[in-house]
């Protein structure tokens, strides 16, 4: 994925996103991701906040920061914050997730919903997510990942793959592209509707006193 293709795609999608992709991508995935951050108040980052569909799901005691690369999507997020009086949203800004302007160990939780197969250099984005998350903090990723077995779905993903630049997302991204390139450890994995097309990954950044059993 190249940045210019992504920006063009989301300039097209922004006016109709909530009424087309929004209803599908909002179905459980975004609310579940936000719910996993809601166990205690904290500083939350949503990477790829888009039009801000997720923002009402976060508890009011949070300090929610949202970033996105698309000014068209972000403008709609700002309107949503204003119209719904979402006072817990303290910052919305244009930012490239590959190089975030936040200090190390800054957020209690980071959410990236429907982002990783859209961004250029997802491994670099993941490293940045890991960097800005506090030790012991939560990282929640929701995404479509390629089917791990041969069949109709995997065949369809392969057919769509050459159209990635036009679609604005990668339909054939393997889940190992996330899990094999991070020191975050997996807490939970859950398939989501419709038809199990999406997966929620709950990852955690190790605390200084955490010993990964797989490495001992």
């Amino acid at each position: 994925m190249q940045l210019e293709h992504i920006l063009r795609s989301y300039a097209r999608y922004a006016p109709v996103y909530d009424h087309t992709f929004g209803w599908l991508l909002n179905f459980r995935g975004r609310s579940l991701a936000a719910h996993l951050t809601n166990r205690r108040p904290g500083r939350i980052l949503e990477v790829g906040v888009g039009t801000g569909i997720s923002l009402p799901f976060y508890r009011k005691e949070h300090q929610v920061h949202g970033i996105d690369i698309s000014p068209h999507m972000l403008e709609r997020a700002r309107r949503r914050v204003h119209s719904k009086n979402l006072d817990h949203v303290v910052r919305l800004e244009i930012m490239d997730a590959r190089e975030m302007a936040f200090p190390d160990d800054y957020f209690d939780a980071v959410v990236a919903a429907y982002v990783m197969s859209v961004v250029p250099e997802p491994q670099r984005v993941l490293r940045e997510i890991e960097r800005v998350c506090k030790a012991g903090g939560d990282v929640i990723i929701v995404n479509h990942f390629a089917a791990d077995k041969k069949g109709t779905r995997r065949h369809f993903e392969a057919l769509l793959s050459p159209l990635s630049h036009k679609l604005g997302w990668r339909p054939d991204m393997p889940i190992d592209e996330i899990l094999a390139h991070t020191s975050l450890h997996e807490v939970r994995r859950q398939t989501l509707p419709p038809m199990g097309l999406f997966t929620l990954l709950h990852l955690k950044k190790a605390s200084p006193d955490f010993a990964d059993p797989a490495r001992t």
Side-chain angles (χ1 to χ4, degrees), residues 162-177:
L163 302 176
S164 294
H165 293 319
K166 293 185 180 296
L167 294 170
W169 61 283
R170 286 176 54 198
D172 61 342
M173 181 180 185
I175 198 168
D176 282 348
E177 196 162 327

Side-chain angles (χ1 to χ4, degrees), residues 61-193:
E61 296 85 356
H62 283 328
Q63 297 175 34
V64 179
H65 299 239
I67 65 170
D68 204 283
I69 199 63
S70 168
H72 300 86
M73 301 287 276
L74 208 58
E75 176 57 32
R76 292 181 177 270
R78 293 190 178 108
R79 292 182 202 170
R80 190 184 302 273
V81 168
H82 178 74
S83 66
K84 294 186 177 294
N85 297 313
L86 302 178
D87 295 334
H88 60 300
V89 180
V90 298
R91 187 175 185 180
L92 292 173
E93 63 182 305
I94 295 173
M95 192 179 296
D96 191 332
R98 296 173 295 181
E99 192 172 357
M100 297 188 212
F102 299 114
D104 296 353
D105 306 309
Y106 190 65
F107 293 100
D108 296 283
V110 182
V111 174
Y114 310 103
V115 168
M116 300 307 290
S117 57
V118 171
V119 294
E121 302 179 283
Q123 295 171 19
R124 186 175 169 189
V125 172
L126 189 60
R127 287 196 297 271
E128 277 291 275
I129 287 173
E130 187 172 347
R131 179 184 68 79
V132 302
C133 185
K134 292 180 180 178
D138 297 297
V139 172
I140 298 97
I141 294 171
V142 182
N143 210 77
H144 169 80
F145 295 109
D148 57 3
K149 296 180 181 179
K150 292 182 179 180
T152 302
R153 178 178 143 187
R154 189 165 177 178
H155 177 69
F156 191 61
E157 290 165 347
L159 289 175
L160 287 176
S161 181
L163 302 176
S164 294
H165 293 319
K166 293 185 180 296
L167 294 170
W169 61 283
R170 286 176 54 198
D172 61 342
M173 181 180 185
I175 198 168
D176 282 348
E177 196 162 327
I178 298 297
L179 298 178
H181 297 93
T182 181
S183 62
L184 299 168
H185 68 276
E186 184 177 345
V187 175
R188 175 186 177 191
R189 183 186 305 194
Q190 179 179 349
T191 58
L192 301 175

